[in-house]
């Protein structure tokens, strides 16, 4: 049995169409841990995650602040907006993607697992999320 098939996502609420779309991101990234869809206030809309649900929501809140501050700073500096932010550490890779209308997705995966090809696949999958959300 594959590792993906052996794992079961952790949830604290009923799944929505958004969580189903977010689950597709897992197929694009070895080492996938979580994908969270949230608003500019860091409020989670939905997620697909192998992390504790509380920690998943905290990650959205944290990255919501980071993305909102980065966007505000870019506008203040008249540099336009922020479309994406990548972070890497010895413990994980994180990519934050602005969807528009104040909505974002953050993907958390194992270290060294998110590259340009993976991000391109994320972007393809997120088209469905944006359509479903009306963004």
């Amino acid at each position: 049995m594959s590792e993906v098939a052996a794992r079961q996502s952790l949830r604290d609420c009923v799944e929505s169409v958004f969580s189903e779309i977010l689950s597709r991101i897992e197929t694009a990234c070895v080492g996938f841990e979580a994908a969270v869809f949230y608003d500019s206030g860091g409020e989670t809309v939905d997620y697909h995650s192998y992390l504790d649900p509380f920690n998943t929501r905290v990650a959205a809140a944290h990255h919501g602040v980071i993305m909102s501050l980065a966007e505000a700073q870019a506008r203040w500096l008249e540099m336009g907006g922020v479309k994406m932010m990548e972070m890497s550490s010895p413990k994980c890779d994180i990519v934050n993607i602005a969807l528009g209308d104040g909505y974002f997705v953050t993907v958390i995966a194992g270290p060294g697992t998110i590259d340009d090809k993976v991000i391109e696949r994320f972007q393809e999958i997120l088209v469905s999320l944006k359509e479903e959300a009306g963004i």
Side-chain angles (χ1 to χ4, degrees):
M1 186 179 334
S2 73
E3 180 182 331
V4 171
R7 297 173 80 188
Q8 186 168 6
S9 65
L10 302 175
R11 301 220 27 108
D12 63 357
C13 59
V14 176
E15 287 189 79
S16 74
V17 67
F18 298 125
S19 62
E20 188 279 321
I21 295 167
L22 292 168
S23 74
R24 296 179 207 163
I25 292 174
E26 180 176 5
T27 65
C29 182
V30 174
F32 173 90
E33 290 296 327
V36 190
F37 175 37
Y38 56 95
D39 66 20
S40 60
E43 183 70 31
T44 298
V45 175
D46 209 344
Y47 60 89
H48 174 70
S49 179
Y50 295 104
L51 305 175
D52 175 78
F54 176 78
N55 291 337
T56 301
R57 290 176 184 278
V58 168
H62 177 76
H63 289 279
V65 170
I66 291 170
M67 290 298 285
S68 293
L69 289 173
E71 282 196 327
Q73 187 70 20
R75 280 192 308 274
W76 183 75
L77 293 170
E78 298 178 358
M79 296 174 60
V82 175
K83 294 185 186 277
M84 185 174 62
M85 186 181 299
E86 296 176 64
M87 301 173 200
S88 295
S89 77
K91 293 188 176 187
C92 66
D93 283 356
I94 298 170
V95 63
N96 300 301
I97 301 169
L99 301 176
D101 292 344
Y103 289 93
F104 305 91
V105 167
T106 292
V107 179
I108 303 169
T113 59
I114 298 178
D115 60 20
D116 290 343
K117 189 173 183 175
V118 170
I119 290 171
E120 185 177 312
R121 183 68 183 120
F122 291 169
Q123 297 283 9
E124 292 168 3
I125 293 166
L126 291 174
V127 168
S128 296
L129 186 81
K130 289 171 69 172
E131 287 174 357
E132 185 65 36
I135 300 171

